[in-house]
Amino acid sequence: MTADTRQLILDTALRLFEERGYAGTTMRAIAAEAGVSPSNAYYWFASKDQLVQEFYRRIQVAHRDRSAGVLAGAGTLSERLMGVERAGLEVMAPYHGFGAAFVGTAIVPGATVSPFSEESAGARELSMEIYRDVVAGASPAVPARLAQVLPDLLWLAHLSVILYWVIDTSPDQERTHQLVDRSIPVLTSAVRVARLPGAARLVGQVGAVLDVVVPGRAS
Amino acid sequence: MTADTRQLILDTALRLFEERGYAGTTMRAIAAEAGVSPSNAYYWFASKDQLVQEFYRRIQVAHRDRSAGVLAGAGTLSERLMGVERAGLEVMAPYHGFGAAFVGTAIVPGATVSPFSEESAGARELSMEIYRDVVAGASPAVPARLAQVLPDLLWLAHLSVILYWVIDTSPDQERTHQLVDRSIPVLTSAVRVARLPGAARLVGQVGAVLDVVVPGRAS
């Protein structure tokens, strides 16, 4: 019953964020709409920020769960990434209307719900782990040099796909699916090219860029 | 005098968007704060959206103007891109506080101020032209095959840099400068690698991805 209340408050909040915008939705309004007292709502979530943080975390858990099959199986790097990206789009599909509000909240400098924030470390780690797993379990194996940059690079690419998905107004976000479909062959070719001796320096340079932008990668 | 009024309204709007957020700022409040009548404000800008659109366009004009020197000179691809990206960060520096509000507005699905919208075609074209120029004027010349994808790729990379800059809370956004500094060698190496015969297919595949996401590139 109490866990149900928590879920009800979260579901109500997501609906109101979508209908009225994040800034236009108060905790009191969420409580009223959910039919609980404000103090009950505040018992479960100290702020709207915590609601969005919980939403972000749940999406990552759902993404990992829906990717479990493809990650447990044997597959090429491309097959695994395709499976994981499709799983991600499936998990997010019901929340497309809320996407803009979420990104609008996450993009504020210092936002706790940013995928780059300290407060999001747990949710971020869940997501990054998926991409480490995509690379680690690939058959044939990804060369060691490349495996040092590829998981974080794929995580950043995933964030870019989500950004594009948010602004994608095509029916059922089919353009985003097209983007993913066409990006997979790029990955295949890039891995092949990265194996060439002439590409060693390039891989190292990509790592230096990741050190700047990926939280926890370099101190 | 009238052009001054237009500028005053725009400056006032940017300040209020930063202080109160985009949603929390009305055209009436902008007019009041600028000391003009609401009808005068509406004479110059039909909506808040038009104010942001005008801001977006001016940034592109300023970016082009500040890049003119480096684009007119002889330089390698890397030197030209470095000059252009530094010019972009300089032009945007005074607006860092407003950045989140701008992106929050642009990320709404169907937003007219999105860099991908029809309504932004003029501003987008100004920005894309800078990157076409970066590539076209490079010495040594960029191979023709690569020149078909590189300008649009650099434009997308520029959008990513802006996104990172918006959430960058380091002093004077020094992490974004680091990101740019470290990305330039990646470009140099990528161009070298793209010249290898084994990379021909990769370049074509990148073009197919750009066809999906870059407005006006493919029908």
Side-chain angles (χ1 to χ4, degrees), chain A residues 163 175 182 189 193 205 208 212, chain B residues 163 175 182 189 205 208 212:
Chain A
L163 265 181
R175 286 188 81 82
R182 294 191 183 192
S189 295
V193 166
Q205 288 164 336
V212 175
Chain B
L163 265 181
R175 287 189 80 82
R182 294 191 183 192
S189 297
Q205 289 163 337
V212 175

Side-chain angles (χ1 to χ4, degrees), chain B residues 27-52:
Chain B
M27 281 294 278
R28 294 191 77 86
I30 295 166
E33 192 77 13
V36 304
S37 69
S39 61
N40 195 352
Y42 279 115
Y43 171 79
W44 289 107
F45 297 100
S47 63
K48 289 194 291 179
D49 239 37
Q50 280 204 2
L51 275 159
V52 178

Side-chain angles (χ1 to χ4, degrees), chain A residues 100 103 107 109-110 116 163-164 166-167 169 175 179 182 185-186 189 192-193 196 198 202 205-206 208-209 211-213, chain B residues 100 103 107-110 116 163-164 166-167 169 175 179 182 185-186 189 192-193 196 198 202 205 208-209 211-213:
Chain A
V103 175
I107 202 80
F116 297 91
L163 265 181
Y164 189 76
V166 165
I167 61 164
T169 53
R175 286 188 81 82
L179 167 62
R182 294 191 183 192
V186 171
S189 295
R192 193 170 38 77
V193 166
L196 302 175
L202 175 57
Q205 288 164 336
V206 169
V209 171
D211 287 349
V212 175
V213 297
Chain B
V103 175
I107 202 80
V108 176
F116 297 91
L163 265 181
Y164 189 76
V166 165
I167 62 164
T169 54
R175 287 189 80 82
L179 167 62
R182 294 191 183 192
V186 171
S189 297
R192 194 170 38 74
V193 167
L196 302 175
L202 176 58
Q205 289 163 337
V209 171
D211 287 347
V212 175
V213 297

